[in-house]
Structure formats: C-alpha cells, structure tokens
Amino acid sequence: LPDIILYHYPETPFGEKIRKFLGYKRLEWRSALVPLIRPRPLLEKLTGGNRRIPVLQIGADIYLDTNLILPVIDRLFPNPPLAGTDGDPLSTAIPLWFEPRMFMTVNPLRFQSRNDMTLMGSDPQRTTDFVAERAPFMASMLDTSKLRDHFPAAAFGFRQLMTLLDRRLLATRGFLGGDFPSPADFSAYHPIWWLLQPPAHEEILEGFDNVRAWLQRIGNFGDGKPSPISVEDAFEHARMAEPVPPGTPPAGDARLKLGSLYRIAPNDYGKDPVEGTLVHVGENELTLAREHEELGRVHIHFPRWGYTVSLPS
Ligand SMILES: N[C@@H](CCC(=O)N[C@@H](CS)C(=O)NCC(=O)O)C(=O)O
C-alpha cells in the first residue's frame, strides 16, 4: 500500500480528529504540513481546487472530508476495531449534529475577546492575517464583537451538549458507543479539543468529569507514527501513481451519469468547487477523475453527505 499522507496544520480541529484516529490505529503515516493561511498551490492543484483541510492522499487517490477519510482508513486498517461503523445511529448522527454546529458553538467560548484571539498564536500579525483570510466564509465565527453577543446562547448550547455526553459516558465508562471508540467519539472530541487550545478556557468543562476523563482517554491515543513529507514530495507520489480503479460496482443513481462532467462543492462553508468526470457513485461516496498536465490522472473522493453535485456551468 502506498504511504498514507495527511495534509494538515497543527491548529486544525478537523485534522486533530484524524490525527487521534491515526493514533488509535497506531499507524505510520506521512505528515504534509500546509500553511494555516492560503495559498497552498500544490495541494489545490492536487485536489482540483478544494480549500478545506485535512486532505488524505494515498497514491493518486485523494479523499476529502473527515467523514470520508475516517471510514477509508478504517476499511484499510480494521484493527484495532471501532465500535459502531456502518449504519451505527450514533456514529451517523453525531457528525451530522456536531459538525459544524459544535465548531461554531465553541468559537464564542474560546474567543471571548480580541485578546483571546491574539492568544491563539504566538504571532499577532498571523492572527490578523488569519481572521482576514477566513472572514469571507467564517465571519460570524471570528468577529469578536458579535461573538460576545453569541456567548450566552453558545454557553447554554455547549452545556446542554456536554450534559448529554457526560451522562452517556457515565453509563458506558469508556467511549460513547461502549468499550471501543466509534466515529462518534472522534467527531465529538475534536471541537472540544479546539475549545481547549490557547487561551484554554478550561473552566467551561467544570462539572463534566466524565467528559474530561474521556478527553484524556482520546488524547492518550496520540498521533500514531507520523514522519514528515514535503508537499512537493507528496505531489510527486501522486504523479508517479495511478488511481485505484473503483472497486465495487457502482450502486448507481438515476440522476448521476458515470462518465459525465460534474462539479462537487461543500454545502456549508468553504464551498470552492471541484470539477471532474464522475467515475464512481457509492453509497456514501462520489469519485471524480481529473487529468492534470503536471500530475496525470487523479481520483478525488467526496462523501455524499454535505456536498452539492451540479453540472459545470
Ligand atoms: N466537513 C469538513 C470540514 C473541514 C474544515 O472545516 N476544515 C477547516 C479547518 S479545521 C478548513 O478547511 N478551514 C479553511 C482552511 O483551512 O483553509 C471535514 O470534516 O473535513
């Protein structure tokens, strides 16, 4: 199997979801660090224009979105096992409920002032650049004057979610689905991890002892065994490889025609579209093939939830 390459940056909560999952699986993987603030020209060439992080690359196959990346890795490396994968109600519902709602809920709690936002990184200029770059699609999450207005509702919503998680964890004593972690655990974990990054408002978790112990358990998985790879070398891996032919026969969808050109984009935020030829329609996966003069052929895989498919204009 070619190397597992994850494009990410240290601050990304969605990247953290996958890092902890790779840790649980005790996997060796290649870590391709990209800048927090765009441009990321090679990566965007590879994905055909997707801007969201993280991205998984295995040879010339590119997987977008943690809700596809996680099951793809689990399929390749079933051990140690997950509790509740295919069709598990909790593992289906939690990502849909938490993402991105939880991420937005925790922002007013983490950034209670402009100073809190400065404490996000060591370099104030970087913070200013970050806010400016993300503003077009995350303005409501990053405008501290508005965040203050959102604080009471966010604090209430957050406590409600934590109460549910805490009760569940009191019952299971392990993870949300029982003795093993399930996709629901990694999904619920990552926005709380984000909340606890500098300036680390730990007080928000007071009273939720079961949640705190569970956060620790997931934190203890670590990140597996990452070794660095430059984006240039990762790009070269894709250039040298051929995409894996879509294995199982497509489930089919009367409205989607294999071999036709489509445009696929997230339907929530960071909606930069990717265009390509549809080569696979799976139960929860769509695959576009793209040809690139520097890269050859690559397959870009999307989850079906949360993405809009349209004809290119
Ligand atoms: N549904 C996506 C969401 C990913 C996401 O929102 N990623 C953030 C970083 S944590 C992002 O891409 N931000 C814009 C950027 O990094 O340029 C997933 O599960 O992968």
Side-chain angles (χ1 to χ4, degrees), residues 9 11-15 17-18 35-38 40 44 50-54 64-69 99-100 103 130 133-134 137-138 190 194 266 268-270 303 307:
Y9 46 82
E11 297 89 342
T12 158
F14 286 92
K17 174 179 169 186
I18 299 302
L36 170 72
I37 301 163
R38 290 205 297 180
R40 306 172 189 132
E44 284 172 27
N50 158 80
R51 76 151 299 160
R52 302 209 301 193
I53 299 292
L64 304 183
D65 202 290
T66 60
N67 288 316
L68 180 62
I69 293 173
E99 301 171 15
F103 185 45
F130 171 75
E133 205 254 341
R134 295 298 201 271
F137 68 99
M138 290 185 165
H190 79 278
W194 164 257
D268 45 11
Y269 57 91
Y307 286 75

Side-chain angles (χ1 to χ4, degrees), residues 244-258:
V244 176
T248 45
D253 185 316
R255 286 152 303 165
L256 294 174
K257 249 181 79 203
L258 293 178

